[in-house]
Amino acid sequence: MARTGHGPLTGIRVVELAGIGPGPFAAMLLADLGADVVRVDRPGGAALGIDPAYDITNRNKRSVLVDLKGEDGADRVLDLAERADILIEGYRPGVAERLGVGPAACLARNPKLVYGRMTGWGQDGPLAQRAGHDVAYLALTGTLSMIGKPDEPPVVPANLVGDYAGGSLYLVVGVLAALQHARTPGGAGQVVDAAIVDGAAHLASMIHGMLAAGSWQDRRGANLLDGGCPFYGTYTTSDGGHMAVGPLEGQFYAEFIGLLGLADAFPDRWEPARWDELRAALAERFATRTRAEWTEVFDGTDACVAPVLSLREAPHHPHLAARSTFVEHSGITQPAPAPRFSATPVSVRSGPARPGADTDAVAADWDVPGLRPTPHD
């Protein structure tokens, strides 16, 4: 099969109005898949103080500087939107409109444009105008209540579940679906309202089904997949490391117990009344060896056990190294683009875009002469 281009989205043009968190990550994913992503940065300072040279979410992109509050700032963005397939913004509802680059203005210039809006609360509703962050969005959707031990406060899962899973990934699915519609006969551009609260709630669809069926308890640490089950969780090793275990199926559990060397296999392991006893037995056994020793015991087996690696350790794991799950580019070890494609392979083509560094190139490639700074800019 012939391998072509830089990814399946080669030829797609995306305008990203600079922001923080889920918007830039969504745009990075589109860029990783081959889209020509132009990030519109505002003059002055990097987001959250991150050195632009290390902001991986700006890899595979190009950057232009536009002062949206300046006299011709909105016109410059509209010129880009006119030539784009997708635009992504992450302002509070109404801000893009006040800046002159809202959906109505952009779609008037380009009726086929897909206008992606990334927020925490969504474009409407009582909280739409409120500030917020990942942890608050997860809190209101019930997602946060599921994470952690039953006798302790909920555990914050970094900002991966809300910002990036419930936000970025849903925005990407949405804008690509809308792009498909726009390119069908009679299709048109539209606005995609991607709210983290919507995505985070949607991620828990299976859990809500189990809750309705009576097979999930609405409390932390009491269920099969939330740490309540002793054979689906983590255990501390003698050197302070941790092993993750998850042998749910019978044949995998049998192999797990055998390799662990437990005489009592707890045949009634599905009975929650025995879970504390089984957890204590597993914890006692894991505490007898180091993480490396247990890794060797379970290596090459179907016991569904793995060492818990740190961020710096993960790239060196033999499996991840063999698959090049992590790559080095511009002196930074980073996750490789995902997923993988047989005919249109993806890669890290360029390092983090420096604010404004690509203005001349984008002006020429997209035929937007007005992007070039005038001598008084």
Side-chain angles (χ1 to χ4, degrees), residues 13-331:
R13 288 179 170 180
V14 179
V15 175
E16 175 199 353
L17 303 186
I20 60 174
F25 185 83
M28 182 203 77
L29 180 51
L30 295 171
D32 283 353
L33 297 181
D36 181 6
V37 176
V38 172
R39 178 179 171 95
V40 179
D41 281 299
R42 58 181 66 89
L48 292 181
I50 299 174
D51 184 339
Y54 294 93
D55 191 350
I56 296 171
T57 62
N58 284 329
R59 73 185 184 189
N60 288 338
K61 301 177 184 178
R62 299 192 287 178
S63 171
V64 300
L65 283 184
V66 175
D67 182 1
L68 269 170
K69 296 182 179 180
E71 182 178 350
D72 59 352
D75 288 335
R76 291 184 180 184
V77 170
L78 292 175
D79 285 341
L80 289 169
E82 183 177 341
R83 295 157 174 79
D85 299 289
I86 298 168
L87 182 145
I88 290 175
E89 60 94 355
Y91 303 133
R92 291 198 204 191
V95 171
E97 285 83 349
R98 292 196 294 272
L99 292 171
V101 294
C106 289
L107 288 166
R109 293 281 290 269
N110 180 359
K112 291 283 189 178
L113 180 71
V114 172
Y115 194 104
R117 316 197 80 168
M118 182 74 260
T119 62
W121 304 115
Q123 295 299 310
D124 53 40
L127 295 178
Q129 292 296 332
R130 294 282 297 276
H133 279 296
D134 179 288
V135 66
Y137 310 139
L138 294 183
L140 287 197
T141 59
T143 306
L144 190 63
S145 73
M146 295 188 290
I147 306 172
K149 296 181 179 180
D151 54 347
E152 297 178 3
V155 174
V156 179
N159 68 327
L160 305 180
V161 178
D163 281 352
Y164 298 135
S168 305
L169 299 186
Y170 278 85
L171 176 61
V172 169
V173 170
V175 296
L176 292 181
L179 181 62
Q180 167 65 17
H181 169 74
R183 293 190 163 193
T184 59
Q190 61 181 302
V191 178
V192 177
D193 175 5
I196 295 173
V197 288
D198 296 344
H202 191 262
L203 286 170
S205 295
M206 182 190 75
I207 304 298
H208 280 279
M210 296 173 70
L211 184 66
S215 56
W216 187 277
Q217 299 184 61
D218 195 14
R219 55 190 177 89
R220 221 167 22 261
N223 300 283
L224 181 64
L225 303 175
D226 67 353
C229 173
F231 44 93
Y232 197 87
T234 60
Y235 290 92
T236 304
T237 56
S238 63
D239 59 345
H242 296 89
M243 300 295 290
V245 306
L248 298 177
E249 295 80 2
Q251 69 273 29
F252 302 150
Y253 180 76
E255 188 168 3
F256 165 68
I257 287 295
L259 290 169
L260 202 59
L262 281 180
D264 184 355
F266 289 86
D268 52 352
R269 64 188 177 108
W270 291 110
E271 176 51 57
R274 297 290 308 274
W275 280 2
D276 286 345
E277 182 184 356
L278 175 53
R279 181 178 290 103
L282 297 179
E284 181 179 5
R285 187 70 181 125
F286 272 110
T288 63
R289 299 187 186 182
T290 66
R291 189 186 72 174
E293 290 171 334
W294 282 121
T295 299
E296 185 176 358
V297 167
F298 291 106
D299 185 43
T301 74
D302 281 340
C304 302
V305 178
V308 179
L309 304 182
S310 72
L311 291 174
R312 294 192 184 279
E313 289 176 317
H316 304 290
H317 186 275
H319 180 78
L320 303 185
R323 285 183 56 81
S324 297
T325 298
F326 292 86
V327 297
E328 184 172 332
H329 194 284
S330 302

Side-chain angles (χ1 to χ4, degrees), residues 1-5 341-345:
M1 180 180 295
R3 293 157 65 90
T4 61
F341 301 84
S342 60
T344 54

